[in-house]
Every structure is written in C-alpha cells, then in structure tokens.
C-alpha cells in the first residue's frame, strides 16, 4: 500500500487523509522535512497559498520539497496547492514563496467576488464517465499550459481546472469536500504505477 503524506500546515488535512485511506493508500500528516522520508507521494491541501508558502519556508520544507519534485516525486496540489505547484503565479505577492515544478501559469481568485465559491458538475474523463461534483472556493484557474501538461477538466467557459504533468496532479477544486474519491484514487494509481 503506498504511503501518501498530506501537508499539514493549513487546510482540510483530516478530510484528505480519509479520502486517501478510502482510495487505498496509507495516509500520514506531514509537518517536518524528516517526515518526507519513506513517503511515496504528497497531497497539498487548499488554504491560502501565500500563508502556506511562508509556512513552508518557516518549517524548512521549501527546499526539501523542491528537490523531491525535481526528482519526480508525485504531488497532488488542490486549490492553493495547485498555486504552489505552478511555475508561474500571475498575481503573486511580493513575498510569495512557491514550489513550482509544473508548466502552468495560474491566476489566483480567478472567479471574482460573485462566484467566490460555487459548485458544478465537471467532466473528468480520466477518472470515469460520471460527472464529478466539484467545489470551488476562491479558486484559481489555469491560464497557460506547457507542452507536457495534460488538461483533465475544463469549465464550460474553457478554463482549465485540473491537469497533470507526469507525477504532478493539480485541481482548482476541493475533492475532499465531496464523497467522491475518484480524484484521490487517480492520484493513488499514479503513485502506484510509479512504484511498480
Ligand atoms: N484563494 C486562495 C489562494 O489564493 C486559494 C483558495 C483555496 O485554496 N481554497 O491561495
């Protein structure tokens, strides 16, 4: 069974752990760099990307995680986690440390005030034919996509909201807030296929 960490600095840590367990992984809360040893993958929950970035630096996790990502460590970033994995943050604050690794540009809070939070059914063919109920909370969107990135889901207006590049997976929505484990199972399968 793959051992998958959940970065436990901010966000829905317990919910992600429960989803990972249901999807066939052994979850672990991660707060320190030494806890990364022995992990097969990591989930970065939503929250506030500026705050998580600063906490990553304070907890001395930025460089160890960047090094692992360079080394093809599987990471699933949701919402703020997606912002942290993007190579470019369009409206980054002056002091917003990120991890990078994925050839995407993202725009924070891309849906404006009226649609700060919304829910919609999304087609995500990679996880199955049934539409996936997706919860967006002050969500980012993907504004540019590199050659190696596969878009997994788009909104009706054409904006990409889930994507994969090799061992990196991102979604602008919060899969841990529904009962549907398919995004987590997709990530667990990505991790497993790397192990074998
Ligand atoms: N708006 C947040 C940010 O910019 C992300 C929101 C979320 O993770 N739910 O970091």
């Amino acid at each position: 069974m793959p051992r998958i960490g959940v970065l436990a600095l901010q966000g829905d840590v317990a919910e992600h752990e429960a989803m990972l367990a249901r999807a066939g992984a052994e979850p672990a809360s991660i707060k320190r760099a030494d806890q990364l040893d022995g992990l097969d993958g990591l989930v970065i929950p939503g929250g506030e990307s500026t705050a998580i970035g600063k906490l990553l630096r304070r907890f001395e996790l930025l460089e160890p995680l960047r090094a692992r990502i360079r080394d093809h460590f599987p990471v699933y970033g949701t919402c703020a986690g997606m912002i942290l994995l993007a190579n470019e943050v369009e409206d980054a604050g002056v002091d917003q440390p990120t991890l990078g690794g994925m050839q995407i540009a993202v725009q924070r809070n891309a849906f404006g005030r009226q649609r700060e939070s919304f829910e919609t059914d999304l087609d995500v063919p990679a996880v199955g034919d049934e539409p996936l109920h997706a919860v967006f909370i002050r969500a980012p969107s993907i504004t540019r996509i590199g050659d190696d990135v596969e878009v997994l889901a788009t909104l009706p207006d054409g904006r990409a909201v889930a994507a994969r590049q090799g061992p990196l997976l991102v979604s602008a929505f919060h899969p841990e807030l529904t009962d549907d484990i398919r995004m987590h199972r997709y990530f667990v399968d990505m991790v497993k296929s790397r192990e074998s």
Side-chain angles (χ1 to χ4, degrees):
M1 194 185 281
R3 198 171 137 77
I4 299 186
V6 179
L7 186 70
L9 302 178
Q10 215 188 42
D12 297 329
V13 179
E15 289 82 352
H16 277 291
E17 290 192 13
M19 296 297 257
L20 287 168
R22 285 175 59 202
E26 181 194 336
S29 307
I30 304 302
K31 280 201 173 119
R32 298 189 316 267
D34 61 311
Q35 295 170 324
L36 295 170
D37 295 338
L39 286 186
D40 301 305
L42 181 74
V43 171
I44 304 181
E48 203 53 46
S49 55
T50 45
I52 299 174
K54 284 175 188 160
L55 289 168
L56 281 171
R57 187 165 55 199
R58 186 180 318 153
F59 284 68
E60 296 180 358
L61 275 159
L62 263 185
E63 284 313 322
L65 270 174
R66 282 181 184 150
R68 277 179 171 74
I69 290 168
R70 276 195 297 274
D71 228 19
H72 309 292
F73 181 61
V75 184
Y76 176 18
T78 65
C79 204
M82 169 167 114
I83 297 168
L84 286 157
L85 286 177
N87 278 351
E88 193 188 331
V89 182
E90 284 191 358
D91 37 8
V94 269
D95 183 28
Q96 179 164 9
T98 67
L99 295 165
M102 195 149 170
Q103 297 167 4
I104 54 172
V106 296
Q107 185 190 0
R108 295 179 61 204
N109 305 314
F111 298 93
R113 279 184 175 276
Q114 264 137 38
R115 298 191 78 202
E116 262 204 351
S117 301
F118 63 99
E119 303 187 13
T120 189
D121 288 331
L122 272 183
D123 279 327
V124 192
V127 305
D129 293 339
E130 279 283 300
L132 187 122
H133 191 69
V135 180
F136 293 82
I137 303 170
R138 293 190 309 283
S141 76
I142 302 173
T143 51
R144 271 198 301 284
I145 290 152
D147 290 342
D148 299 333
V149 178
E150 182 192 353
V151 173
L152 301 181
T154 50
L155 288 171
D157 67 7
R159 283 193 268 189
V161 287
R164 173 180 180 175
Q165 180 189 321
L168 301 179
L169 176 68
V170 292
S171 67
F173 51 88
H174 285 255
E176 79 284 5
L177 295 179
T178 69
D179 205 34
D180 190 334
I181 64 164
R182 285 179 294 164
M183 289 302 296
H184 288 82
R185 192 162 56 204
Y186 182 80
F187 182 59
V188 171
D189 287 345
M190 276 169 56
V191 171
K192 279 188 184 160
S193 66
R194 226 179 86 85
E195 284 183 325
S196 55

